[in-house]
Amino acid sequence: MLCAEPSGPKPVKRSSHSALNTSQRQPDRKALGSFKGRDASAIKSSMQIHSPTQYLKIVRSMTHVINQGMSMYWGTSRWSAMEIMEAYSVARQFNLIPPVCEQAEYHFFQRDKVETQLPELYHKIGVGVVSWSPLAGGIITGKYENGVPECSRASMKPYQWLREKIMSEDGRKQQAKLKELTHIAEKLGCTLPQIAIAWCLRNEGVSSVLLGSSNPRQLTENLGAMQVIPKMTAGIASEVDHILGNRPHGKKDYQH
């Protein structure tokens, strides 16, 4: 899976450009050259978006990669709903391959984009979500309930920002909510990380969840979330929402 990630200014409106003949335009060979001989599923292509011409360049390049057998699909990473729709429209206009998913952060404390901005794309054009950080960088594991233990990620110098986040007033409030959620996990016979991952997967628009396990034990525990999904009834989801108190409300609520 390839993910195109914009790193430049966001477009605010369409520019008026004449139609381009795609049969006479070639993808950026220099950018695609690095794909040869590599596992395309592990490549993330970083590109700037400034105008519809740039969208056409990205979509044409991704179509070329797929047609050459270097990947089966391509998706976007941290794009807005407007940007994804622009790429989809360009793909349809020029008979190219559109993105099939958006990679977005999604967990108990980060819900707005996935639950209010992306559902419309899911229902209209079938773009699913590949969510990342289901445990919020380890915050939702429960290990920070009583502070930052030694040898944890937040205790390391490069993760000073994570330590500050955990020790902040908002961080303490989050830990209090996680303590309440632990009781629901115990009722379901699972761990806090498992209910957190199952909660993400229960969202109809989430195609898959990216796990960041650091050892086999954590991976085994996280995969156990698959057994929890059938237990995530509407009643349980409602209990979780009540404890979190942060369910966003957009044009259409995402069905949990």
Side-chain angles (χ1 to χ4, degrees):
M1 170 71 71
L2 297 178
C3 289
E5 177 178 347
S7 56
K10 311 295 187 196
V12 295
K13 63 180 181 179
R14 282 181 182 267
S15 298
S16 56
H17 291 270
S18 59
L20 300 177
N21 186 341
T22 58
S23 65
Q24 296 178 359
R25 295 289 301 280
Q26 296 298 318
D28 188 338
R29 300 293 180 180
K30 184 177 181 181
L32 295 177
S34 61
F35 292 159
K36 295 180 179 179
R38 298 174 60 187
D39 181 2
S41 65
I43 297 173
K44 177 180 288 186
S45 179
S46 181
M47 302 180 182
Q48 291 183 330
I49 299 176
H50 297 287
S51 70
T53 300
Q54 287 293 86
Y55 285 111
L56 181 57
K57 181 179 180 181
I58 292 172
V59 177
R60 183 187 290 112
S61 296
M62 296 298 101
T63 298
H64 176 77
V65 168
I66 293 171
N67 288 339
Q68 293 299 308
M70 290 182 274
S71 182
M72 295 181 68
Y73 313 97
W74 77 278
T76 57
S77 178
R78 297 189 296 178
W79 283 29
S80 69
M82 181 186 72
E83 290 168 339
I84 297 169
M85 196 65 209
E86 186 73 48
Y88 179 86
S89 298
V90 167
R92 290 308 182 202
Q93 180 180 357
F94 295 100
N95 196 30
L96 300 172
I97 300 174
V100 299
C101 65
E102 158 66 4
Q103 183 173 289
E105 183 178 5
Y106 186 50
H107 50 73
F108 284 153
F109 305 117
Q110 184 70 36
R111 306 176 61 174
D112 185 70
K113 180 178 180 179
V114 173
E115 294 186 18
T116 64
Q117 300 177 32
L118 299 181
E120 190 171 1
L121 293 182
Y122 169 76
H123 290 290
K124 283 188 174 181
I125 60 177
V127 170
V129 173
V130 175
S131 68
W132 55 277
S133 195
L135 303 181
I139 290 177
I140 300 178
T141 59
K143 62 184 175 185
Y144 297 115
E145 179 181 347
N146 299 313
V148 179
E150 294 183 8
C151 299
S152 65
R153 180 186 301 180
S155 68
M156 302 177 185
K157 191 173 182 179
Y159 291 94
Q160 182 65 26
W161 61 271
L162 181 59
R163 180 188 183 90
E164 293 174 355
K165 184 176 182 180
I166 292 170
M167 300 303 292
S168 68
E169 183 178 353
D170 286 342
R172 290 193 293 272
K173 289 179 180 178
Q174 289 179 350
Q175 289 302 315
K177 291 179 179 180
L178 292 175
K179 189 172 183 179
E180 291 187 61
L181 289 172
T182 299
H183 298 312
I184 297 180
E186 292 174 350
K187 182 168 61 175
L188 298 181
C190 65
T191 64
L192 184 59
Q194 287 174 338
I195 194 174
I197 296 170
W199 178 86
C200 292
L201 287 169
R202 189 178 183 279
N203 190 313
E204 66 173 352
V206 174
S207 303
S208 59
V209 171
L210 301 179
L211 303 177
S213 307
S214 58
N215 57 59
R217 181 186 61 78
Q218 287 184 4
L219 178 59
T220 299
E221 178 186 5
N222 291 347
L223 291 177
M226 297 297 295
Q227 306 301 319
V228 182
I229 296 176
K231 302 177 183 180
M232 290 293 294
T233 62
I236 294 296
S238 180
E239 287 185 53
V240 172
D241 279 337
H242 178 72
I243 292 173
L244 294 176
N246 64 351
R247 183 177 181 181
H249 296 283
K251 295 179 180 179
K252 293 181 180 179
D253 285 339
Y254 223 121
Q255 296 179 8
H256 269 285

